[in-house]
């Protein structure tokens, strides 16, 4: 589609048929763009374009298909992405005021999401190049003089813009000739000093007249016809002079183009360190095509201006529409080759959801649990907060980006106020890989220092312990670590009761003590802390360093726990989904490498496709591959790019920022020591978008599975529920939450889900669990109590 050709825009249906050796089949239709629409609102223009495209699709019987589209938009644009450009200036008589796109255009634009290519930016580069390099060749004086003359007379739409273009292109050449003829007539050099109304009217001497008048054989004859048509009183000498004027103006245009093209060719030659460059330039445009000797003159001048460049001129056969389709196809090929394996269709996500559904049931099963990839761990939390909780609690929050120690006061009287003081303590990398004793001594020390700072050492407060790893919960205060995940791998902890390890570390210190303990997973803590604000919150979800979710399951379905009535919160540990190979078909070679190079190969397959610990690494591996395949960074990598962990997941969020994303990408690529160009930055953003999008959609498939399970459990046609969410990926990524929510709506249409981002993390939630346990009776007996409940 190419709306820039004055008053018409061709729509094309391009089929590139590989088998038949580069055959391109094309059907096209030219649609006019009325002058007043060129000066109307953007919305009118895009509605018109959308209507033309709609009619064209109808005529080609293509309305049912969703095809990628190449969009040739020949105006200077700031290319934000292969499918996103912002309009910078106005040229070619098109003055579009900003308008709102109509729904259909919205639809069109959304379908444009599939790789729209725009060629506009090329013009922009040329402009800058010329202004900086070639002005001196043509005496500045001359240029300015003619430019000023041009502007005042033209009363053109936009002044002082696109000077070079106004000396060269078809939109303006005719007008330059007209003004010259008027001047020469007024100076009694032509037409016996007479002008005509037509000659005095801007735009009446069309650029095509120049080509007709310069025709080798019929030129003079044409000149006479045209001068007659313009109502001029001419004689044969006048016709010759007019032809000379035309020749001069078109010749200047050809020479200026030659200067510009020579600049670019020489630059390419120098870029590549060549003495001699052999290259081809693809050309299009009515001036070049139609003028009898424009191309010849241009080529002759280029040979003089770039003698070390051997340039072949190839006139485009089917216009840039085919070119746009080619760019789309090339970009598509790149995408297909590298990114397609990461694109999961709705159908595939539904398949993944069906597999997960089976795994949930296997995990809940008394006899199938031990071999289940998705552990479905009972948490013994059978109630969510009802707002009557009260008391002072300590809380520890371990397992996310930050380890936090908290002091939480739930003040009932003041209606749902939770006061909190907290402190973030770092866990050094080496400690995450050290001994369990070191880790718990460090935790006990941080808690001790915090109690000191809060002047709480003398008190024995109940403590909620958020421990964000898969644990077999035996009691509310007894929990066995099944395995470490994320970046942790401390020895002597797996298979142990982590509450006991904590208490032992505190007793080793002997300078303070804690009261009863409630151990929760961060998903449970998140559900509880959100449940305090919204009692319909029955799902907790984390998309952070790791990923996981919990939800309220019918106790009769939790085969490993006694009881038929009521519900219990199940920590799904969905991070382990696929550890039994059930996701092999969607794992890419890059996922395999991430898993193999992680500290726990074969563990938490699903998590490694989704969570913050791994997304940056997947992007890094893809960029290395694309660079090695010479698709990025001119085929060069850097030490940083080759180093695991150097492309941080937070870069993905920064690069996908709607406005500053590309700028951020460029800064990050520079910081990684890469030799990037603007297209590289676009492609890197596309890679980031693809990886984060897969993550969001996989999470959506998992959350939809759980919501549908709750709905079916309760025999409901429609479920209304709330999910409490936390985690840096969900919080920080610019459109992760939006994409996840959109996909959940498609995958669980019978569930109306509210997403509540946790305010104070799951530390507060851990305190809530302790408070809920206390609300319904002493901890030790809570289990019987809970069961009775
Ligand atoms: C904040 C919660 C914490 C949880 C973390 C997950 O308080 O319990 O583990 O979110 O997000 P991450 O810090 O891993 O991005
Ligand atoms: C852990 C879960 C935790 C999740 C989010 C996973 O690696 O296995 O227990 O909930 O990370 O922090």
């Amino acid at each position: 589609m190419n709306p820039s050709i004055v008053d018409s825009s061709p729509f094309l249906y391009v089929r590139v048929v590989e088998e038949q050796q580069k055959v391109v089949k094309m059907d096209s239709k030219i649609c006019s763009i009325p002058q007043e629409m060129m000066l109307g609102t953007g919305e009118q223009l895009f509605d018109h374009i959308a209507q033309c495209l709609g009619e064209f699709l109808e005529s080609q019987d293509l309305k049912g298909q969703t095809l990628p589209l190449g969009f040739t938009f020949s105006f200077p644009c700031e290319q934000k992405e292969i499918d996103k450009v912002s309009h910078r200036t106005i040229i070619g008589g098109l003055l579009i005021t900003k308008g709102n796109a109509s729904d259909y255009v919205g639809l069109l634009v959304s379908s444009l999401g599939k790789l729209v290519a725009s060629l506009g930016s090329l013009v922009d580069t040329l402009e800058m190049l010329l202004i900086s390099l070639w002005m001196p060749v043509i005496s500045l004086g001359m240029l300015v003089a003619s430019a000023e003359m041009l502007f005042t007379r033209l009363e053109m739409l936009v002044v002082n813009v696109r000077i070079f273009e106004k000396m060269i292109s078809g939109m303006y050449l005719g007008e330059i000739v007209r003004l010259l003829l008027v001047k020469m007539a007024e100076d009694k050099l032509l037409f016996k000093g007479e002008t005509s109304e037509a000659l005095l009217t801007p735009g009446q001497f069309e650029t095509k007249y120049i080509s007709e008048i310069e025709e080798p054989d019929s030129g003079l004859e044409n000149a006479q016809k045209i001068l007659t048509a313009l109502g001029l009183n001419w004689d044969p000498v006048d016709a010759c002079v007019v032809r000379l004027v035309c020749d001069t103006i078109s010749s200047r245009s050809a020479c200026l183009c030659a200067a510009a093209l020579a600049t670019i060719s020489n630059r390419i030659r120098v870029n590549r360190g060549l003495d001699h460059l052999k290259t081809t330039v693809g050309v299009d445009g009515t001036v070049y095509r139609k003028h009898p000797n424009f191309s010849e003159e241009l080529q002759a001048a280029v040979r003089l201006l770039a003698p070390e460049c051997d340039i072949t001129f190839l006139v485009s056969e089917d216009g840039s529409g085919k070119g746009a389709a080619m760019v789309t196809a090339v970009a598509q090929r790149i995408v297909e080759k590298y990114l397609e394996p990461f694109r999961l269709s709705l159908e595939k996500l539904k398949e993944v959801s069906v597999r997960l559904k089976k795994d949930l049931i296997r995990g809940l099963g008394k006899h199938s649990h031990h071999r289940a990839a998705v552990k479905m761990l009972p948490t013994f939390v059978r109630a969510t907060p009802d707002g009557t909780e009260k008391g002072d609690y300590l809380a520890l929050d371990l397992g996310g980006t930050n380890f936090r120690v908290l002091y939480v006061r739930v003040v009932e009287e003041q209606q749902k106020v939770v006061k909190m003081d907290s402190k973030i303590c770092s866990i050094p990398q080496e400690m995450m890989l050290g001994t369990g004793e070191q880790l718990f001594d460090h935790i006990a020390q941080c808690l001790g220092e915090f109690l000191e700072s809060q002047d709480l050492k003398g008190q024995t407060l109940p403590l909620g312990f958020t421990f964000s790893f898969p644990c077999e919960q035996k009691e509310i205060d007894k929990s066995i670590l099944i395995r470490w995940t994320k970046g942790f791998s401390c020895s002597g902890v797996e298979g142990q009761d982590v509450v006991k390890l904590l208490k032992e570390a505190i007793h080793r210190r002997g300078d303070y003590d804690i009261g009863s303990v409630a151990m929760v997973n961060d998903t449970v803590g998140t559900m509880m802390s959100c449940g305090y604000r919204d009692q319909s919150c029955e799902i907790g979800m984390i998309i952070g360093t790791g990923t996981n979710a919990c939800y309220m399951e019918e106790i009769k379905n939790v085969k490993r726990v006694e009881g038929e009535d009521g519900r219990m919160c199940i920590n799904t540990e969905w991070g382990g989904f696929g550890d039994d190979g059930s996701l092999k078909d969607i794992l890419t070679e890059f996922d395999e490498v991430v898993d193999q190079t992680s500290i726990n190969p074969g563990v938490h397959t699903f998590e490694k496709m989704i969570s913050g610990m791994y997304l940056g690494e997947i992007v890094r591996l893809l960029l290395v591959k694309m660079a090695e395949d010479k698709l990025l960074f001119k085929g060069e990598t850097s030490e940083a790019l080759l180093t695991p962990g150097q492309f941080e997941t937070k870069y993905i969020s920064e690069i996908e920022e709607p406005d500053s994303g590309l700028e951020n990408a460029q800064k990050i690529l520079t910081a990684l020591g890469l030799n990037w160009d603007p297209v590289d930055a676009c492609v890197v953003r596309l890679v980031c978008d693809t990886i984060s999008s897969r993550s969001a959609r996989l999470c959506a498939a998992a959350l939809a599975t759980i919501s549908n399970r709750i709905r079916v459990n309760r025999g409901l046609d429609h479920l209304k529920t709330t999910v409490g969410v936390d985690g840096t990926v969900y919080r920080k990524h610019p459109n992760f939450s939006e994409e996840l929510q959109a996909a959940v709506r498609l995958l669980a249409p019978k569930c109306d889900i509210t997403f509540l981002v946790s305010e104070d993390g799951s530390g507060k939630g851990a305190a809530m669990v302790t408070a809920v346990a206390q609300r319904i009776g002493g901890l030790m007996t809570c289990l019987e109590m809970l069961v009775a409940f």
Side-chain angles (χ1 to χ4, degrees):
M1 183 159 65
N2 182 352
S4 68
I5 298 174
V6 174
D7 71 31
S8 72
S9 170
F11 287 79
L12 300 101
Y13 173 34
V14 183
R15 271 142 302 157
V16 185
V17 189
E18 192 178 4
E19 292 76 23
Q20 300 165 16
Q21 286 310 314
K22 290 197 177 171
V23 168
V24 175
K25 294 188 182 146
M26 280 194 355
D27 295 307
S28 67
K29 174 178 171 241
I30 289 193
C31 307
S32 72
I33 309 255
Q35 178 80 13
E36 63 283 1
M37 188 174 281
M38 291 189 198
L39 309 174
T41 68
E43 189 160 329
Q44 282 164 337
L45 173 69
F46 280 92
D47 281 352
H48 177 68
I49 293 172
Q51 185 196 339
C52 295
L53 182 54
E55 286 158 8
F56 180 69
L57 291 174
E58 194 100 55
S59 68
Q60 299 285 323
D61 196 21
L62 290 171
K63 265 216 166 147
Q65 297 184 42
T66 305
L67 293 168
L69 181 125
F71 184 9
T72 307
F73 190 73
S74 305
F75 303 93
C77 292
E78 191 72 57
Q79 184 108 23
K80 300 279 183 194
E81 289 189 49
I82 198 123
D83 60 353
K84 186 161 174 217
V85 289
S86 56
H87 203 285
R88 287 196 54 203
T89 52
I90 295 97
I91 61 167
L94 203 60
L95 173 65
I96 304 289
T97 52
K98 271 217 164 297
N100 304 326
S102 72
D103 286 353
Y104 184 70
V105 176
L107 266 176
L108 176 68
V109 171
S110 74
S111 70
L112 283 180
K114 294 193 184 123
L115 309 170
V116 168
S118 155
L119 295 170
S121 54
L122 202 56
V123 180
D124 208 31
T125 330
L126 179 59
E127 177 192 313
M128 273 179 301
L129 209 63
L130 281 173
I131 289 174
S132 57
L133 283 165
W134 281 97
M135 274 301 217
V137 176
I138 305 164
S139 75
L140 211 52
M142 241 178 78
L143 189 64
V144 176
S146 57
E148 262 146 23
M149 181 177 65
L150 199 61
F151 293 152
T152 44
R153 302 249 170 187
L154 275 176
E155 289 144 358
M156 285 313 295
L157 298 156
V158 182
V159 295
N160 288 338
V161 164
R162 330 237 17 113
I163 299 168
F164 193 70
E165 179 162 77
K166 287 171 184 157
M167 299 163 86
I168 287 176
S169 73
M171 183 89 195
Y172 308 100
L173 292 183
E175 189 59 7
I176 299 171
V177 171
R178 184 187 72 81
L179 291 164
L180 258 167
L181 299 182
V182 168
K183 179 94 173 95
M184 294 166 89
E186 286 169 353
D187 294 354
K188 311 235 176 296
L189 276 168
L190 278 177
F191 320 126
K192 302 173 189 55
E194 295 162 18
T195 57
S196 70
E197 190 194 336
L199 188 65
L200 292 173
T201 309
Q204 285 302 302
F205 194 97
E206 296 182 39
T207 297
K208 68 178 180 179
Y209 292 169
I210 298 175
S211 302
E212 291 161 11
I213 290 170
E214 287 195 61
E215 273 303 328
D217 307 326
S218 59
L220 273 179
E221 205 183 316
N222 294 341
Q224 294 163 3
K225 283 188 195 129
I226 290 165
L227 294 176
T228 306
L230 290 168
L232 291 161
N233 179 6
W234 58 269
D235 62 36
V237 175
D238 289 335
C240 293
V241 173
V242 170
R243 191 166 144 108
L244 181 60
V245 170
C246 290
D247 178 47
T248 308
I249 300 304
S250 64
S251 165
R252 179 184 71 166
S253 167
C255 286
L256 286 172
C257 279
L261 181 57
T263 311
I264 289 176
S265 324
N266 274 320
R267 181 172 173 75
I268 296 172
R269 183 179 59 75
V270 172
N271 276 353
R272 298 176 190 172
L274 299 169
D275 286 341
H276 196 79
L277 173 76
K278 192 170 171 32
T279 188
T280 299
V281 55
V283 198
D284 207 338
T286 33
V287 174
Y288 189 93
R289 282 173 176 282
K290 296 283 169 51
H291 190 283
N293 51 29
F294 188 96
S295 57
E296 207 183 303
E297 188 149 6
L298 185 151
Q299 294 177 28
V302 170
R303 275 195 292 278
L304 295 172
L305 292 160
E308 296 96 353
C309 300
D310 175 0
I311 304 173
T312 304
F313 288 76
L314 189 58
V315 178
S316 163
E317 277 160 13
D318 313 292
S320 61
K322 178 178 149 192
M326 279 306 142
V327 171
T328 317
V330 170
Q332 191 105 358
R333 177 165 52 78
I334 293 176
V335 166
E336 254 135 34
K337 184 157 178 233
Y338 296 87
L339 300 184
E340 202 55 36
F342 292 92
R343 295 180 181 236
L344 302 174
S345 65
L346 206 57
E347 286 332 299
K348 182 54 83 177
L349 291 174
K350 285 180 181 161
E351 271 179 49
V352 167
S353 176
V354 170
R355 292 176 212 170
L356 180 59
K357 184 177 168 195
K358 290 197 186 101
D359 272 18
L360 299 186
I361 295 164
R362 196 174 296 127
L364 289 171
K366 196 172 187 77
H367 308 295
S368 55
H369 163 77
H370 58 283
R371 55 183 162 72
V374 180
K375 293 292 174 211
M376 301 299 280
L377 304 164
T379 67
F380 296 95
V381 170
R382 295 184 58 172
T384 49
D386 65 2
T388 63
E389 293 74 20
K390 64 180 184 307
D392 290 10
Y393 306 90
L394 296 172
L396 296 172
D397 185 353
L398 177 76
T401 314
N402 303 309
F403 164 49
R404 291 192 311 156
V405 186
L406 306 97
Y407 173 36
V408 183
R409 275 145 300 155
V410 185
V411 189
E412 187 190 7
E413 286 71 34
Q414 298 168 19
Q415 281 314 317
K416 292 197 173 189
V417 167
V418 174
K419 294 192 181 139
M420 275 182 22
D421 294 306
S422 67
K423 177 171 170 254
I424 290 182
C425 309
S426 71
I427 306 261
Q429 176 79 15
E430 62 281 5
M431 189 174 279
M432 290 184 185
L433 306 172
T435 67
E437 188 157 315
Q438 280 167 333
L439 174 69
F440 281 94
D441 283 347
H442 178 69
I443 293 171
Q445 181 190 340
C446 292
L447 181 53
E449 287 161 5
F450 178 73
L451 291 174
E452 189 92 48
S453 69
Q454 297 282 323
D455 197 17
L456 291 169
K457 263 208 168 152
Q459 297 188 38
T460 303
L461 292 169
L463 178 133
F465 187 9
T466 305
F467 187 76
S468 312
F469 302 93
C471 292
E472 195 64 64
Q473 192 112 19
K474 302 295 181 195
E475 314 251 358
I476 198 96
D477 63 349
K478 182 174 181 187
S479 211
I480 313 300
L481 175 62
I482 296 170
R483 68 155 84 96
W484 284 113
T485 63
K486 292 170 276 190
F488 282 76
S489 177
C490 301
S491 57
V493 183
E494 287 179 348
Q496 301 300 313
D497 173 4
V498 288
V499 176
K500 183 163 167 285
L501 293 176
L502 173 66
K503 285 182 176 168
E504 285 167 358
I506 291 170
H507 293 148
R508 272 195 294 277
R509 293 178 55 86
D511 60 339
Y512 67 86
D513 204 353
I514 55 173
S516 57
V517 175
M519 219 297 292
V520 292
N521 181 263
D522 54 352
T523 54
V524 181
T526 301
M527 182 185 78
M528 296 299 268
S529 101
C530 293
Y532 193 66
R533 288 156 48 203
D534 171 346
Q535 264 100 55
S536 59
C537 181
E538 298 185 280
I539 303 174
M541 180 171 71
I542 297 284
I543 310 169
T545 318
T547 184
N548 188 16
C550 70
Y551 71 101
M552 296 305 285
E553 174 61 77
E554 309 303 316
I555 197 107
K556 66 178 181 327
N557 297 335
V558 187
K559 303 303 181 195
R560 297 192 296 140
V561 172
E562 297 302 313
E564 286 298 314
D565 306 328
R567 299 183 179 132
M568 176 180 285
C569 178
I570 295 295
N571 166 13
T572 65
E573 288 296 338
W574 73 18
F577 181 31
D579 285 7
D580 56 2
S582 66
L583 293 177
K584 265 226 156 318
D585 58 330
I586 63 170
L587 281 179
T588 68
E589 59 179 286
F590 305 99
D591 297 312
E592 307 278 4
V593 175
V594 164
D595 180 49
Q596 288 318 316
T597 54
S598 71
I599 61 170
N600 52 2
V603 170
H604 275 211
T605 307
F606 193 56
E607 178 164 88
K608 285 172 180 161
M609 300 164 86
I610 287 175
S611 75
M613 179 106 195
Y614 309 101
L615 292 182
E617 189 59 5
I618 298 172
V619 169
R620 185 187 71 82
L621 291 168
L622 255 167
L623 298 184
V624 168
K625 179 91 173 85
M626 292 168 93
E628 285 167 353
D629 293 356
K630 307 230 173 311
L631 270 155
L632 276 177
F633 319 128
K634 302 168 189 57
E636 296 156 22
T637 56
S638 69
E639 193 195 331
L641 188 67
L642 294 174
T643 310
Q646 284 299 303
F647 194 98
E648 297 178 43
T649 296
K650 70 178 176 157
Y651 293 168
I652 298 177
S653 299
E654 290 161 11
I655 289 171
E656 287 194 63
E657 270 304 326
D659 299 324
S660 60
L662 266 184
E663 216 176 304
N664 295 341
Q666 292 161 3
K667 287 192 194 123
I668 289 164
L669 295 177
T670 304
L672 290 169
L674 290 161
N675 179 3
W676 57 269
D677 66 31
V679 175
D680 289 333
C682 288
V683 173
V684 168
R685 190 163 144 120
L686 190 59
V687 171
C688 292
D689 175 55
T690 306
I691 301 306
S692 65
S693 167
R694 179 184 71 162
S695 167
R697 292 162 69 79
L698 283 170
C699 283
L703 180 59
T705 311
I706 286 179
S707 326
N708 275 323
R709 180 170 174 79
I710 296 174
R711 182 180 62 78
V712 173
N713 277 351
R714 300 178 192 176
L716 299 171
D717 269 348
H718 199 79
L719 172 77
K720 194 169 170 23
T721 188
T722 298
V723 54
V725 197
D726 209 334
T728 31
V729 174
Y730 189 91
R731 282 176 178 278
K732 295 283 170 51
H733 188 283
N735 50 38
F736 189 97
S737 56
E738 203 186 308
E739 182 145 13
L740 186 151
Q741 294 179 27
V744 170
R745 276 193 292 277
L746 295 171
L747 292 160
K750 295 184 179 165
C751 301
D752 176 356
I753 303 175
T754 303
F755 288 76
L756 195 56
V757 177
S758 166
E759 276 163 1
D760 316 296
S762 56
K764 175 177 130 185
M768 273 307 137
V769 170
T770 324
V772 169
Q774 297 224 323
R775 170 167 60 78
I776 52 184
L779 267 183
M780 291 318 293
T781 55
C782 78
L783 209 51
E784 297 86 39
M785 294 285 285
L786 283 174
V787 173
F789 215 85

